Amino acid sequence: MTTLSLRKFNGEVPRLPPDRLPEDAAQLAENCDFAHGELRPLKGLPTEYAAAAGAQPVRSVFTADGVNFFAWNKPTRAYLAPTIDDAYNRVYYRKHGDPLRVAQTSNMKAINLSPGEPTAYWDVGVTAPAAPTFVLGAATGGATETIVVVAVAINIWGEESAPSSPVSIEKEVGQGVTYTVTHTPPAGQQALTGIVFYRTYPGNQNTDYFLVNPTPATLSGGVASFNDVSTEPATTTTLQSTSWDPPPVPIANLTYAGNGVFAASSGRDLVLSEPYRPHAWPYRMSFPHALIAVVAIEGGLLVTTQAQPYIVSGSHPTQMSQQLLPIEQAGWGDTAATRVEGSAIYASNDGLVAVFGGQPSLRDSQALFTRKDWRDAYGGTRLNMRLAHHDGYVLGLIDPSYPTAATEQPFLIRLDEAAGSFARLDVGQALYGASVSGTTDQLFVTTATGFAEFGGGTNLTYTWHSGDKLFPLPVNFAAGVIDCTGSVTIQIYADGALRHSQAVTGRTSFRLPGGLSASRWSVKLLGTAVVREVSLGASFEELRAV
């Protein structure tokens, strides 16, 4: 008895020819869901929401509640402020080609009101003022002492700049001093409340700088002054912002690293913010090569470079260390990397590198692609590739126009199965990007005019073409049965030629037309049905025993 029976369905294995595929694999799989072992269709896009014209084509969106959104026309990473109970509801973001910026959630628009880019935003950071000048008050006749004074700018969010250069002042004990600062902050930064001064007190054994004026001196015409007559510290507040510089320019790869810390890249440096103070970026860690992507993983960061990847770990920026991973795989781009359940996957010249438990591996990717297969299929899309994680799958989108033109087809790939699975994706229109909301656990895909939540629509029409089943002697199948729920078209191929095509609904038995015997048979399914079994035999009697 010679039969062909398919009871398990899986995706493509592009590295293998059709006649060398595993029994459940396909030579073509598009819009297929294999999570349940049977063949199911993927869900398409549900209601698509239009974005503002200035944000089209849409490449990134951000939401904190699934109701109100920002949208951008270039790849953008955005995060809520890590500040505990942030009273200002800030959103920190970095759009390709722009500096690090901050907006507020109140500037978002409802999902059905054409969200766009923030219309009110500020450059992140507070620029330090120039060193203060001073004028001594009336002499007191006391002993001479030397104090050191610095000026600090403070904005309406209470964020402090790094201090000015210090000024050393020799005066008499008890003699008043008027400090004056001339300061014009950069136009893009948040407005200032004013200037505060910190100074040393020679009679105090503590050599710290103490806050002199808790109420900032107001800038009027770019000038702020304060008359200091103190002889002892008026507060216990000491200078904390010694290295609180604004974020560097250029900057890329904005990432929340946990514990209130933001991370980003600047050339060959990983730069890190002060914990819970995202306006201040005092920490740098250098690498031998330029950084490509930064992805938050459990316990730290995955950093890909132009040569090798690294793990950066530590609870505080001053305690963080880098560990070179034992794999020679450079990253493709900042958008070609994604977090996957506490670990990460990134695209390289040889395939998808999975970093789980701090260990990098190409094993799962190489089970599906040879190096040449991968490069032939996606080598021209390294800067256009957008990786995201969805429901156990890595979603690989190909931006059709940024930064260059690209026509490669998007894909879904599952790397957590013993044999892996790969399927092509076609939702009927170009997809420009994907954004995962960490607060709502939603994956949104973006289009030429708007965005939609992925996988929440009606069933997509799939195509699944089995591998070629070879038989030692030519056979002539005459009967078939398909067990499905829904509607599907089944096509039977004999030695590569279409032998029979039939539209079916539900469990159906069918006869094949007569023809020459063939040694190579395959089955193609097109539709939206859930398919559990397809069997072919020389007669229905044979199929009863399958």
Side-chain angles (χ1 to χ4, degrees), residues 146 161 201-202 223 419:
T146 300
S161 73
Y201 289 86
V223 178

Side-chain angles (χ1 to χ4, degrees), residues 8 37 70 93 181 183 220 242-243 305 348 350-351 468 476 511 515:
K8 291 181 63 179
F70 285 134
Y93 67 96
V181 164
H183 179 58
S220 177
T242 303
S243 302
T305 73
S348 74
D350 293 348
D468 289 338
N476 197 349
R511 293 188 180 280

Side-chain angles (χ1 to χ4, degrees), residues 247-331:
V249 177
I251 193 169
N253 286 301
L254 177 65
T255 304
Y256 182 59
N259 295 324
V261 176
F262 277 131
S265 63
S266 183
R268 294 195 300 181
D269 292 343
L270 180 72
V271 290
L272 301 142
S273 73
E274 187 71 23
Y276 303 104
R277 291 182 172 91
H279 70 285
W281 292 72
Y283 307 105
R284 281 180 177 259
M285 178 185 291
S286 294
F287 290 78
H289 305 277
L291 274 59
I292 300 298
V294 180
V295 180
I297 60 174
E298 185 174 356
L301 300 165
L302 170 69
V303 176
T304 69
T305 73
Q306 291 179 336
Q308 290 173 284
Y310 294 77
I311 293 290
V312 174
S313 57
S315 59
H316 188 278
T318 57
Q319 301 167 345
M320 287 187 175
S321 61
Q322 58 180 260
Q323 175 188 350
L324 176 65
L325 296 182
I327 191 168
E328 299 282 346
Q329 295 296 325

Side-chain angles (χ1 to χ4, degrees), residues 9 77 99 185 263 298 338 341 357 371 402 407 443 458 492 524:
F9 300 85
R77 291 191 185 183
E298 185 174 356
T338 185
E341 297 176 351
R371 179 183 306 177
Y402 180 81
T407 58
L443 172 66
T458 58
I492 313 298
K524 180 185 284 189

Side-chain angles (χ1 to χ4, degrees), residues 164-184:
S164 67
S165 297
V167 173
S168 181
I169 302 173
E170 186 174 302
K171 69 181 191 69
E172 296 174 354
V173 174
Q175 186 177 23
V177 186
T178 298
Y179 313 124
T180 299
V181 164
T182 300
H183 179 58
T184 302

